[in-house]
Amino acid sequence: MLPTRLRKNSEIRNLVRETQLSMNDVVYPLFVVDGQGIRKEIGAMKDQYQLSLDRLGAETLALKELGIRYVILFGVPDEKDGEATPAFIENGLVQEAIRIIKKTDPGMYVITDVCLCEYKSDGHCCFFEDDGDIKRGKTLETLSKTALSHAEAGADMVAPSDMMDGRIGHMRETLDRAGYESIPIMAYSAKYASSFYGPFREAANSTPSFGDRRSYQMDPANSREALKEIMLDIDEGADIIMVKPAMPYLDIIAQGKELSYLPMAAYQVSGEYAMIRTAVDNGLMDSRVIFESLLSIKRAGADIIITYFAKELQAMIKDYQ
């Protein structure tokens, strides 16, 4: 047998290619900020921007032209408080962003990140007891209240990223009780306490004011624990499971896909983006490495990829032979 027979030209390579990327595979993150007329480049993430609400309509139409039909929203308010109030108020940033996007392009599928870190004055994803233990009851109530406010504003899907025990079940019950049984939950099931999130902290202004997030996000050394987290989220009613980050955790994506019948998402995070973007811009690697990185994530088992490279993918699909 000569394997090179099936590599001779682009026609045969296309015919036997095992993994295909399409625009239906990718979700593009959007960062929404207070103010007017703002389209501010994020310093650590070249070509990625914070947008004020009045710039969101134009951005939505531009994304449609690039073939992007799925977005995930992150709110970055100027004012935060100890109760994470900006996360769940009716006229909050994410809630208003949903309405604007849906009015501009009703077919754009809007997913919302559900967490508290961007909205709490201490930058943490949860509330704490005096002794430092997580105040789980209050945290789950606030997260579920936030998810419900997103559904009421018109979100198509909610995606809790907090990594609190029991939040999927609590959120599912809250949504169902309010009449939103049709809203899917995409769970950040295996979210690692990763240094690859560095540039995101600037984008979302969410660096903790004390300590870190290792008491609730996963230890990068653990893989079996990730499978436990995935199974717990499935048992609680998750519709989609996720691994975050993506490329440093391809083994977890693959193991999770084998374990579960649910769709698998992966988040190619800010640090992954920044490294590849910098290498390409400085001529250290060819731009095709962007496509290859996304291909590796899908090949590992991801059905959905959240990526800052989504704007570039449509042209790359046409070029990749």
Side-chain angles (χ1 to χ4, degrees), residues 39 91 105 112-113 123 133 143 155 170 190 197 224 244 246 261 269 288 295-296 319 321:
R39 191 173 188 267
N91 62 341
D105 181 3
T112 59
D113 178 84
D133 285 346
L143 288 166
H170 195 286
Y197 303 149
R224 291 192 300 273
K244 180 184 180 182
Y261 54 84
V269 301
R288 285 167 68 94
L295 201 62
S296 74
D319 292 340
Q321 298 294 337

Side-chain angles (χ1 to χ4, degrees), residues 4 12 32 41 63 88-89 107 142 145 150 155 157 172 177 181 201 216 236 245 267 294 296-297 320:
T4 53
I12 189 63
V32 188
E41 188 172 36
L63 294 178
F88 53 79
I89 55 176
T142 308
K145 189 190 307 186
H150 294 174
M157 179 188 293
R172 182 74 273 161
R177 192 167 56 240
E181 298 94 340
R201 304 277 163 80
Y216 45 94
E236 291 179 27
Y267 199 140
L294 296 172
S296 74
I297 297 166
Y320 186 80

Side-chain angles (χ1 to χ4, degrees), residues 28 41-49 66 196 199 247 268-294 307-316:
Y28 184 66
E41 188 172 36
I42 300 162
M45 299 171 65
K46 184 183 175 185
D47 297 333
Q48 305 303 312
Y49 297 86
L66 293 171
F196 283 91
M247 288 180 65
Q268 187 182 45
V269 301
S270 59
E272 298 173 71
Y273 171 83
M275 288 193 306
I276 296 171
R277 179 84 278 159
T278 300
V280 170
D281 289 348
N282 285 279
L284 300 176
M285 289 190 283
D286 186 273
S287 62
R288 285 167 68 94
V289 74
I290 297 170
F291 192 90
E292 187 176 341
S293 72
L294 296 172
T307 176
Y308 302 99
F309 287 120
K311 287 183 175 182
E312 302 172 54
L313 182 59
Q314 185 169 246
M316 289 185 171

Side-chain angles (χ1 to χ4, degrees), residues 169-197:
H170 195 286
M171 198 171 291
R172 182 74 273 161
E173 183 179 347
T174 299
L175 291 169
D176 290 354
R177 192 167 56 240
Y180 292 98
E181 298 94 340
S182 63
I183 298 294
I185 297 175
M186 177 166 64
Y188 287 65
S189 300
K191 181 179 179 180
Y192 284 85
S194 172
S195 297
F196 283 91
Y197 303 149

Side-chain angles (χ1 to χ4, degrees), residues 29-272:
L30 287 171
F31 298 96
V32 188
V33 298
D34 284 315
Q36 289 189 332
I38 296 172
R39 191 173 188 267
K40 179 184 176 183
E41 188 172 36
I42 300 162
M45 299 171 65
K46 184 183 175 185
D47 297 333
Q48 305 303 312
Y49 297 86
Q50 293 176 330
L51 301 163
S52 53
L53 290 170
D54 61 320
R55 301 295 296 270
L56 201 52
E59 185 74 9
T60 300
L61 294 176
L63 294 178
K64 184 177 181 179
E65 286 297 311
L66 293 171
I68 293 171
R69 308 305 298 140
Y70 308 91
V71 295
I72 184 166
L73 295 178
F74 297 88
V76 190
D78 288 341
E79 300 295 327
K80 309 181 182 197
D81 64 29
E83 300 299 310
T85 307
F88 53 79
I89 55 176
E90 183 180 356
N91 62 341
L93 275 175
V94 168
Q95 292 81 354
E96 290 297 325
I98 296 165
R99 297 182 184 106
I100 290 169
I101 292 172
K102 284 298 186 181
K103 183 178 180 180
T104 305
D105 181 3
M108 183 69 78
Y109 195 90
V110 178
I111 306 166
T112 59
D113 178 84
V114 179
C115 199
L116 307 181
C117 58
E118 299 104 321
Y119 310 97
K120 279 183 84 241
S121 49
D122 65 10
H124 274 286
C125 307
C126 59
F127 299 97
F128 293 102
E129 303 284 2
D130 292 339
D131 62 2
D133 285 346
I134 293 170
K135 192 178 287 186
R136 199 165 73 91
K138 181 177 181 179
T139 299
L140 297 187
E141 286 289 342
T142 308
L143 288 166
S144 293
K145 189 190 307 186
T146 301
L148 179 58
S149 74
H150 294 174
E152 290 172 340
D156 295 295
M157 179 188 293
V158 294
S161 61
D162 53 281
M163 285 299 287
M164 295 298 118
D165 297 334
R167 90 272 202 213
I168 302 301
H170 195 286
M171 198 171 291
R172 182 74 273 161
E173 183 179 347
T174 299
L175 291 169
D176 290 354
R177 192 167 56 240
Y180 292 98
E181 298 94 340
S182 63
I183 298 294
I185 297 175
M186 177 166 64
Y188 287 65
S189 300
K191 181 179 179 180
Y192 284 85
S194 172
S195 297
F196 283 91
Y197 303 149
F200 179 90
R201 304 277 163 80
E202 177 187 344
N205 189 23
S206 61
T207 302
S209 61
F210 64 89
D212 53 39
R213 299 190 175 115
R214 287 182 293 176
S215 64
Y216 45 94
Q217 293 180 0
M218 281 191 55
D219 185 338
N222 295 353
S223 59
R224 291 192 300 273
E225 184 185 13
L227 303 184
K228 177 175 71 174
E229 290 280 10
I230 288 170
M231 288 308 302
L232 285 170
D233 284 353
I234 292 171
D235 289 345
E236 291 179 27
D239 299 284
I240 299 170
I241 54 177
M242 187 196 301
V243 173
K244 180 184 180 182
M247 288 180 65
Y249 296 90
L250 295 179
D251 59 323
I252 307 302
I253 296 171
Q255 290 176 57
K257 186 65 175 178
E258 288 294 320
L259 177 73
S260 169
Y261 54 84
L262 293 184
M264 169 67 74
Y267 199 140
Q268 187 182 45
V269 301
S270 59
E272 298 173 71

